[in-house]
Amino acid sequence: MKQAATANGPQLTVVDSKLMKRVFYVFAALAMLSVTISLGGKWFGRSIAMAGYTDDTTIHEVVIGNNVIAVPANVIRFDQARRDGIASRLDLYLRYPEMDGYSEAARNDFNHTGSSKDIIFLSFERQIMSREMSGRFAPIYSALIVQPGTPGPGGTTLYGFTEKSGYFNEVLAVANRRGKDPFVARCLSGPSAAQSLAPCERDILVGDSLSLSYRFPMEFLGNWQALDAAIAAEAARMLKTGR
C-alpha cells in the first residue's frame, strides 16, 4: 500500500488496485461457491427424499425379444433401467388398484408408511418355462403339495408343500376357474410372510414369448379375480409385440 499526506492534514491510505481485484475475485468465488452449495444441497436433498423413486412420467420403450414395453419412468423400479433400449429383464412397481407409479400423492404407499400394503412388483423377461404357473399345476405342483388343503381367502384353497419339494415356508394358493386352468400363486407362510411386502407370486405368459411374474400382498388373494384381470389388462396396455 502507498501512503500520501497533506501539509496540515492526517495521512490517507490509498489501497493498491491489484489488492482490490484480488479481494473482489475472492468474494466472487465465495459467492459462486455459496450458490453451488445451495443448488447442490437442494438437488441432493430431493434425491434423498425420493429414495430412488422418481415422479418423472416420461415414457421409455424397453425392448425384450420381439416385444416393446412402453412405460413411464415412475413405474420402473431401478434408476439404471429408466432408459430406452434393449434389456433382458424389466422390473416395475405399481400401486393397486390405481395401477399407477410413484408420485407425491402416492409417496406414503410406496414408502410403506401406512398399515396397508398397496404395491405390486412386476418383472418382464423372456419365457423360460413352456407353461405359465396355472398350466404347471396339474403336471408339477399337484405332485408336490399335501392333501387336503385348507380354505383360503377369495375361494382359494391353500396347500402346504411336501418336504422333498424344496419349497420351504411356502403354500400354494389354488382357485378353480371355469373353462381354464386354475388360478395358482405361491405364497410365503409364517414369519416370512409377515415380514414381506409382497409374499405371493404368480407368473403369466404375455406378448411374444414373454413371461410376466408379479408379486403381491397376501391380502389381495381375497379378490384374486380382479387382481389377475388388472395385471393382464395393464400388460396388454404396456406391450407392443413384433407379431
Side-chain angles (χ1 to χ4, degrees):
M1 290 185 289
K2 299 177 181 179
Q3 292 182 337
T6 61
N8 300 314
Q11 289 186 336
L12 298 176
T13 300
V14 179
V15 180
D16 193 327
S17 62
K18 291 183 179 179
L19 179 59
M20 286 297 295
K21 287 182 180 179
R22 290 175 183 171
V23 172
F24 171 78
Y25 290 143
V26 169
F27 277 104
L30 288 174
M32 289 296 294
L33 180 61
S34 177
V35 171
T36 301
I37 291 174
S38 177
L39 293 176
K42 290 179 180 178
W43 179 87
F44 189 61
R46 174 175 170 79
S47 177
I48 293 175
M50 298 296 279
Y53 301 122
T54 180
D55 53 10
D56 180 15
T57 56
T58 300
I59 299 296
H60 292 291
E61 293 190 342
V62 180
V63 179
I64 302 180
N66 292 326
N67 305 275
V68 177
I69 307 168
V71 289
N74 66 335
V75 165
I76 301 174
R77 284 185 64 189
F78 304 115
D79 180 65
Q80 65 270 24
R82 294 171 186 147
R83 58 175 179 80
D84 297 331
I86 299 173
S88 59
R89 177 187 174 102
L90 181 63
D91 295 295
L92 313 175
Y93 43 19
L94 292 168
R95 183 173 58 153
Y96 183 80
E98 292 84 358
M99 304 303 283
D100 57 4
Y102 180 86
S103 66
E104 182 65 23
R107 180 177 60 181
N108 289 340
D109 292 323
F110 278 85
N111 285 330
H112 316 291
T113 57
S115 58
S116 63
K117 299 176 182 179
D118 305 297
I119 305 302
I120 300 171
F121 301 90
L122 305 91
S123 297
F124 286 97
E125 56 189 334
R126 289 198 180 197
Q127 177 184 347
I128 299 176
M129 305 290 288
S130 61
R131 302 183 183 189
E132 60 187 11
M133 189 171 283
S134 289
R136 298 198 299 271
F137 177 72
I140 299 176
Y141 288 127
S142 63
L144 301 177
I145 56 177
V146 178
Q147 299 279 4
T150 59
T156 61
T157 301
L158 302 180
Y159 297 95
F161 283 98
T162 63
E163 292 183 1
K164 297 181 180 180
S165 68
Y167 295 110
F168 300 105
N169 299 320
E170 291 189 36
V171 295
L172 195 70
V174 182
N176 292 325
R177 298 186 295 181
R178 183 176 299 178
K180 295 182 179 181
D181 289 326
F183 169 88
V184 178
R186 290 201 338 262
C187 298
L188 296 174
S189 60
S192 299
Q195 296 169 6
S196 174
L197 296 173
C200 293
E201 180 177 6
R202 170 170 167 77
D203 64 67
I204 59 176
L205 298 181
V206 297
D208 184 359
S209 301
L210 201 63
S211 175
L212 169 59
S213 60
Y214 67 92
R215 294 185 293 114
F216 58 94
M218 187 171 286
E219 292 82 352
F220 291 176
L221 274 178
N223 198 6
W224 59 265
Q225 300 96 326
L227 173 65
D228 209 45
I231 294 294
E234 191 66 17
R237 188 187 65 79
M238 295 175 176
L239 277 169
K240 302 174 184 177
T241 68
R243 291 179 179 177

